[in-house]
Amino acid sequence: RSDANFFVNEIKKRGMKAFFWDHAFYTLDYYPDEFKVEAKGEQNLAHHTKKFEGGIEQQLDLDNPNFWQWVYDDYDSLLTLSPNLDGVTLTFIETGSYVIYQHSDVLKTPGQKLAALVDSLGNYFIDKKGLDLHIRTFIYNQFEKESILEALKLIKHQDIKVMIKMVPHDWFMTYPYQDFVADIPFPVIIEYDGGMEYAGENIIASPFVQYFSDAFKHYHEYENVVGYCVRTDRFEETAAVGTPGEVNLYALSRLSANPALTTDQITEDF
């Protein structure tokens, strides 16, 4: 709490907004048993190879309004610990308990469950708490792509932004760019990996100015892309700042002000 609030205060001193990153939902054992039901019927877990190989025995009851009230009360207690927060960035795909595997007699498809989760928490964070909400989404396979696109079209709360990685799946430099950006009916923030998780982690010198510049210029062409964010380290062990990889952060910053800059200009200025 002390460390988190230190960063919140330093961010706000610099005239920026401070967000916390959270997952919904947490692991099943985090929630009281009174909100769980026994899983019934066939479960299609084919697109998850190991995490659910034993099946799912219990599910959260998404149709129970008392469950959602418990979630809101839980967030009340968490937000009390950091009263100067401006917003929340929410991962709702790869989480402790996937919402698409929870129980509902009303919500029939994965996309409907995802949209209901975002709308429910949007009503809480935005309408009740006056916070900003970004939802962080990514895809690993065609099933998830279809479910996410369905959800994004069903979400009713309009005051959100969508964060997506610059490439599908994880951060491999050989991957293509996302092919569904134009289909997202919300303002989009492109997420870059300055931590270079799969390309040397900045332990190996990682100045990839051309790589970041090409991606930035590609996404800059989309009307619904309104910004970017960039990871700067991996578990505090692989920081870009203070290493040759810092030039990648510099490139994104310079391009956000002038997308016409060349790679050579950026590198020479750095």
Side-chain angles (χ1 to χ4, degrees):
R1 174 186 179 182
S2 176
D3 290 347
N5 286 331
F6 167 81
F7 282 113
V8 169
N9 293 333
E10 291 300 315
I11 287 167
K12 294 175 76 71
K13 283 181 185 177
R14 289 157 174 78
M16 298 181 289
K17 290 185 175 182
F19 281 65
F20 280 174
W21 174 25
D22 191 41
H23 282 194
F25 293 119
Y26 307 142
T27 56
L28 201 64
D29 58 9
Y30 185 81
Y31 302 96
D33 289 340
E34 63 187 281
F35 302 128
K36 302 170 189 175
V37 297
E38 296 300 318
K40 298 179 181 178
E42 294 294 325
Q43 300 170 358
N44 180 14
L45 307 174
H47 45 280
H48 287 286
T49 55
K50 292 184 178 180
K51 187 165 187 175
F52 301 112
E53 62 186 3
I56 299 173
E57 296 181 357
Q58 288 186 312
Q59 300 167 307
L60 296 170
D61 185 1
L62 303 181
D63 298 336
N64 185 346
N66 292 330
F67 165 68
W68 291 105
Q69 187 58 54
W70 188 94
V71 171
Y72 304 151
D73 292 342
D74 188 48
Y75 273 122
D76 281 345
S77 67
L78 292 173
L79 292 175
T80 299
L81 302 176
S82 190
N84 294 328
L85 198 64
D86 294 296
V88 172
T89 297
L90 184 75
T91 291
F92 62 107
I93 301 297
E94 188 182 57
T95 60
S97 297
Y98 286 49
V99 66
I100 63 174
Y101 297 135
Q102 308 314 315
H103 171 79
S104 176
D105 292 324
V106 178
L107 307 168
K108 301 297 185 181
T109 68
Q112 290 174 351
K113 292 179 179 179
L114 290 166
L117 172 64
V118 172
D119 275 328
S120 181
L121 294 183
N123 291 337
Y124 171 79
F125 286 121
I126 299 171
D127 299 333
K128 184 178 179 180
K129 294 298 180 179
L131 298 172
D132 292 338
L133 178 63
H134 297 169
I135 58 173
R136 182 176 184 260
T137 186
F138 40 88
I139 57 174
Y140 287 106
N141 50 49
Q142 188 64 25
F143 166 84
E144 290 184 350
K145 180 179 178 181
E146 293 171 356
S147 299
I148 290 167
L149 285 177
E150 179 191 6
L152 293 174
K153 293 174 182 177
L154 292 174
I155 293 171
K156 298 175 183 177
H157 216 297
Q158 296 300 302
D159 297 330
I160 63 174
K161 292 183 176 68
V162 175
M163 285 172 52
I164 63 170
K165 293 180 180 180
M166 62 173 284
V167 294
H169 204 283
D170 275 318
W171 302 108
F172 293 105
M173 298 178 75
T174 54
Y175 279 1
Y177 298 139
Q178 301 279 15
D179 63 357
F180 66 99
V181 175
D183 298 324
I184 299 176
F186 294 97
V188 175
I189 299 169
I190 303 298
E191 183 179 344
Y192 298 91
D193 182 27
M196 308 309 294
E197 183 176 357
Y198 297 101
E201 296 187 330
N202 293 305
I203 296 171
I204 299 173
S206 303
F208 293 110
V209 181
Q210 187 70 51
Y211 174 72
F212 283 90
S213 295
D214 286 347
F216 189 96
K217 292 179 180 182
H218 170 80
Y219 288 115
H220 182 70
E221 298 299 317
Y222 289 89
E223 292 185 0
N224 60 333
V225 172
V226 298
Y228 75 94
C229 64
V230 54
R231 179 190 291 175
T232 61
D233 66 68
R234 181 73 173 164
F235 301 130
E236 303 179 9
E237 298 173 350
T238 63
V241 176
T243 72
E246 189 171 348
V247 69
N248 302 326
L249 314 184
Y250 181 74
L252 293 170
S253 177
R254 290 296 305 278
L255 289 167
S256 68
N258 181 7
L261 287 174
T262 68
T263 301
D264 285 345
Q265 287 175 304
I266 294 169
T267 304
E268 288 171 7
D269 288 347
F270 179 79

